[in-house]
Every structure is written in C-alpha cells, then in structure tokens.
Amino acid sequence: MKKRFTVNILLLTAMAAFAACGTAPATKEAPAANADSLPLLFPRQQSRVVVMEAPGTVRYDSRNRAILPARVAGRIEKLYVRYNYQPVRKGQLILEIYAPELVAAQREMLSVGNDPQMQALAVRKLELMGMPGNLVREVLRTRQVRVTIPVYSNADGYILEESAVASADSPAPAAAPARGDAMGNMGAAAPMAAPSGPAPTQSPVLLRAGQYVTAGQNLFSIYKTGRMIAEFALPAGIAAAAGPGARVLIGGNGMNGELRNGNIHLLEPVFANGEKFSRARVYIDGQAAAGQLITAWIPVLIRNSWWVPASAVIRLGQENVVFKKSGQEYLAMPVRTGIRTGGMVQLTEEISGIAANAAYIADSEGFIWPEASISSSHP
C-alpha cells in the first residue's frame, strides 16, 4: 500500500509539473437515430504523463572496488578467505606469504650491528622488496625475523578472487522486454527480464595454501558496499523519452522495504532476442544486496500524440487497425500505435471519425483487409 501510494504521489507531481501540456480527451459523436450506428472518435493532439514500471536487479559497481595485490613474491603459507563474496573488514588478515628473499634480507639487516649507514641501507632494501615499514621497525625492535608477511584487507566490502572478476563485471546479455506495441505495454507491470547477469554465488576460491605468487600479482578484488548499481531494461521508445537524468523511484526486495529516489545516469543500447531496447543504469547509495530483484517507477512525458480507447484498435499480428467511417461504410485503416496505458492507446498519426468499438464491427468469420498497407506498427 505504501509503495502504490508513493507511486501515485510521484505521478501526481509529474502531472502537475506538466499541467500546461493539457489532457483533453478524444471527442465522441453522438449516435444517430439508426440503431446500427456507432459512436465515432475524433482524437485531439495532447500530451500525457505515464508511469512505467520496470523490473531490474542490483549489482556491484565495478568502479567502486579495491585491488588487493601481493607485494612480495613467495609461497602462500596461510589463507583466511574461504569463498567468493565473503564479507571482509578493512584491516582484516587475508593471507600470509612466506618469502625466502625477505627472510634473508632481514637476517642481513640484523647482522650489520650498530652501523647506522648500513642499517639504513638494509631497511631501504626491505622496503623496496615489498615489506611494510611497520614490520621492518618491529623486526629491528624485537630482533626477531618475520618468517611470513601478512596481507590485510584495504577496504570494507565483499572479496572476490581476481580470476572471477571478469565474469562478475560482464553481465549476460539482457533479455528483451515483453513484446507489445511500439513502446511496450505500460498499463500493467509487463514482465521484462532482469538486465544483469546471474546473482553472485559464494563459490570456493581457487587459490590455495602452498601456491606461489609473484610481486605485484593481483590476488583479490574487494567490492565496496557504499555504492551499488541498479539496472533496468527499457523499451527503445521509452528510453528516448526517459533519457539520462530522468527521475525514478526504486523499491523491492533489494531495498530492504525502502523506497529510494534516483536518476538515470546511463542508457546503453542493447539488441537481444530480436528486440532493440536500452539498459538503464541508476547508482544507488547505501547497503543493498547484489543480485536482488527490484522495481523502478519512471514517469514519462509523451508529447503531441493522439489517444483513443483500447477498444477502438484491433491487433492484426504486427499491424494495428481502426475502423474509419466513410459514408455509410467502415473501412479498416492501419495505424501506428505507441504506448498502451490505463485503457488508452497512443496513436502517432492523426486520424478522425473512427469507431469507438472496433470489435463490434469486425467479423470473426472473415478477414480484415486494411485499405493502406504499412510494413509494421513498430517504429
């Protein structure tokens, strides 16, 4: 109830902002004395604000991650990470590396005695080899050689093995929105496939104790949770009206029961399953579970179109027709349609004097032959 109420408030606000556009309804001609006559529609050009409901998913922001490299070459002695997407904290111990060269360099530093110049050179050598300065000072203080070099997490977030980062950052192609009219059925929550790849799985890491690593090798990536990405699939026609910067309202399971406002930051053209659409990206702040399904409500202003009741239009495969009165007859005329919402259909071209109830005229036992022929009602 709270969600629908908020969506209605968003719609009313958008409609108030565009009140100057006008929403005059299509005019009807009163039926004549003849019982066979039907009300006729004379649509007027107008603008409308409709709210699109689009499902999507939450995923990690690949730009908001930290790289955890091995600063020294050696063998992994202990590994404290068990699976991918394991939560870690900044400063947490991730692994320990046994580096024979560092052990020899530490012993060399301790053997120089009290010669300050030689000691400074030995300390500089250890730092250049990748040993942290605080560990070097600890060795000088305790006079004990560090056999292993610890590697700590440098950020809060979810850790992912570097070999699995490529697949995580490259989501599978999004499935196209459900086929409808030119710009999709916006009256109901028409299901559109989630645009991102599969949800993160806590698979075991392939790195094991005993393996050798090289200096500078990237071992893990840590995805920070302060900023996430919400992705939605939008029909191509709607993407033109709801471009970057458009306001959206996001809710669903991935938002922990909250409703958040956001803006579309990026629209990426996608072609999949024979359909053209756009993948909308919205950056959201705060905690959100990656892979969770969410829903976006997007108010869209449709300018300078003609609107008729859905009962006035009949679908013929890829074509849509209306019945235009010509003298004492009704002729089937092909039309280009757009959005269907609230029992209304958008016409992208002007046509007047059409039957308000096309199904009443259509013969279920015959064929409808439009007077003109267009390739498709889909732009």
Side-chain angles (χ1 to χ4, degrees), residues 52 183 233-244 246 264 267-269 277-280 300:
M52 177 181 179
M183 289 187 285
L234 303 180
I238 295 301
I264 296 178
L267 279 175
E268 177 186 5
F277 60 100
S278 296
R279 181 185 290 123
V300 178

Side-chain angles (χ1 to χ4, degrees), residues 77 103 140 150 212 214 280 305 333 359 371:
E77 191 72 15
V103 173
L140 287 175
Y212 286 85
T214 58
S305 297
M333 303 291 295
E371 280 227 331

Side-chain angles (χ1 to χ4, degrees), residues 117-190:
Q117 185 176 2
M118 294 297 295
Q119 190 176 79
L121 292 175
V123 170
R124 181 60 176 167
K125 178 181 178 180
L126 282 171
E127 292 177 346
L128 291 176
M129 293 177 66
M131 189 170 183
N134 60 331
L135 294 183
V136 175
R137 292 188 293 270
E138 180 184 347
V139 171
L140 287 175
R141 179 177 56 84
T142 61
R143 311 298 293 182
Q144 297 292 329
V145 175
R146 292 276 313 197
V147 179
T148 60
I149 303 301
V151 178
Y152 298 97
S153 171
N154 52 6
D156 295 335
Y158 295 87
I159 195 166
L160 180 63
E161 194 171 11
E162 191 65 23
S163 59
V165 169
S167 59
D169 290 344
S170 302
R179 179 182 291 273
D181 280 330
M183 289 187 285
N185 184 355
M186 297 177 59

Side-chain angles (χ1 to χ4, degrees), residues 28 43 51 56 65 99 113 121 125 130 167 178 199 203 230 253 273 291 297 306 311 343 378:
K28 291 186 178 181
V51 175
R65 66 171 179 168
L121 292 175
K125 178 181 178 180
S167 59
S203 57
N253 296 334
N273 300 332
W297 292 271
W306 295 265
S311 60
H378 297 263

Side-chain angles (χ1 to χ4, degrees), residues 37-240:
S37 62
L38 292 175
L40 298 182
L41 301 177
F42 297 85
R44 296 178 181 176
Q45 194 175 34
Q46 57 184 282
S47 298
R48 285 198 175 196
V49 177
V50 295
V51 175
M52 177 181 179
E53 183 174 335
T57 56
V58 178
R59 71 179 186 89
Y60 295 107
D61 186 356
S62 59
R63 305 176 308 170
N64 191 28
R65 66 171 179 168
I67 304 298
L68 190 62
R71 300 189 180 277
V72 297
R75 184 182 71 247
I76 298 178
E77 191 72 15
K78 293 182 179 180
L79 182 64
Y80 300 95
V81 176
R82 302 303 180 191
Y83 52 88
N84 288 312
Y85 299 104
Q86 178 177 333
V88 295
R89 305 288 296 177
K90 185 175 182 179
Q92 179 179 336
L93 181 60
I94 302 300
L95 54 89
E96 295 181 4
I97 300 176
Y98 169 70
E101 295 181 356
L102 284 180
V103 173
Q106 292 177 65
R107 291 172 178 169
E108 180 182 348
M109 179 183 65
L110 295 177
S111 65
V112 298
N114 296 327
D115 188 343
Q117 185 176 2
M118 294 297 295
Q119 190 176 79
L121 292 175
V123 170
R124 181 60 176 167
K125 178 181 178 180
L126 282 171
E127 292 177 346
L128 291 176
M129 293 177 66
M131 189 170 183
N134 60 331
L135 294 183
V136 175
R137 292 188 293 270
E138 180 184 347
V139 171
L140 287 175
R141 179 177 56 84
T142 61
R143 311 298 293 182
Q144 297 292 329
V145 175
R146 292 276 313 197
V147 179
T148 60
I149 303 301
V151 178
Y152 298 97
S153 171
N154 52 6
D156 295 335
Y158 295 87
I159 195 166
L160 180 63
E161 194 171 11
E162 191 65 23
S163 59
V165 169
S167 59
D169 290 344
S170 302
R179 179 182 291 273
D181 280 330
M183 289 187 285
N185 184 355
M186 297 177 59
M192 291 186 295
S196 63
T201 57
Q202 296 179 346
S203 57
V205 296
L206 301 179
L207 204 62
R208 291 291 184 268
Q211 294 183 359
Y212 286 85
V213 295
T214 58
Q217 177 182 345
N218 293 335
L219 302 178
F220 295 97
S221 289
I222 300 176
Y223 285 95
K224 304 176 184 179
T225 56
R227 195 179 194 188
M228 307 292 284
I229 292 178
E231 286 190 344
F232 308 92
L234 303 180
I238 295 301

